[in-house]
Amino acid sequence: MKKILLLSLFVVMMFGCGSMRSASSGETVSIEGRITKLGMTTFQYGTHSITYGGKPYALRSSSLNLDTYVDRQVTLRGTKVEGYPLEGGPELIEVSEVVMK
């Protein structure tokens, strides 16, 4: 009985970790614009935003401090995060590179 319980726990942990790995496996994008800090919004994701071609995008980054680029004109590269937009909000971009203009 202990073996079945341990095996079940192991399987649950493996599936849980696997879903975290594929959080940003979407389409690669390059966007130009001015990064702004995200304040109060109707959607609850992202830390910053940028507008490109009249379309807003929510931004997040696990590798860069986006506060460094607030109010600066930049070109950023990243990937669209699958499962977004939510609740009529903007697409979410996981930013991997920022180049100041």
Side-chain angles (χ1 to χ4, degrees):
M1 187 66 163
K2 281 185 175 180
K3 289 181 182 181
I4 293 173
L5 181 62
L6 287 174
L7 180 61
S8 298
L9 183 59
F10 178 74
V11 169
V12 168
M13 288 179 59
M14 292 303 294
F15 280 109
C17 293
S19 65
M20 289 173 32
R21 268 194 312 254
S22 63
S24 60
S25 58
E27 173 186 342
T28 302
V29 294
S30 180
I31 299 173
E32 295 180 20
R34 189 172 300 274
I35 293 180
T36 58
K37 185 87 170 156
L38 209 53
M40 295 287 286
T41 63
T42 57
F43 55 93
Q44 298 295 313
Y45 52 89
T47 58
H48 295 75
S49 65
I50 194 167
T51 300
Y52 179 68
K55 182 177 177 182
Y57 294 88
L59 307 175
R60 74 176 189 196
S61 180
S62 57
S63 61
L64 299 170
N65 180 359
L66 296 177
D67 286 338
T68 305
Y69 306 101
V70 169
D71 292 328
R72 301 200 184 220
Q73 192 69 24
V74 300
T75 299
L76 62 85
R77 289 176 187 72
T79 54
K80 291 183 180 181
V81 179
E82 289 184 13
Y84 291 87
L86 297 177
E87 303 167 8
E91 292 187 69
L92 179 60
I93 307 297
E94 174 67 31
V95 180
S96 57
E97 180 182 1
V98 177
V99 178
M100 292 196 331
K101 292 199 136 209

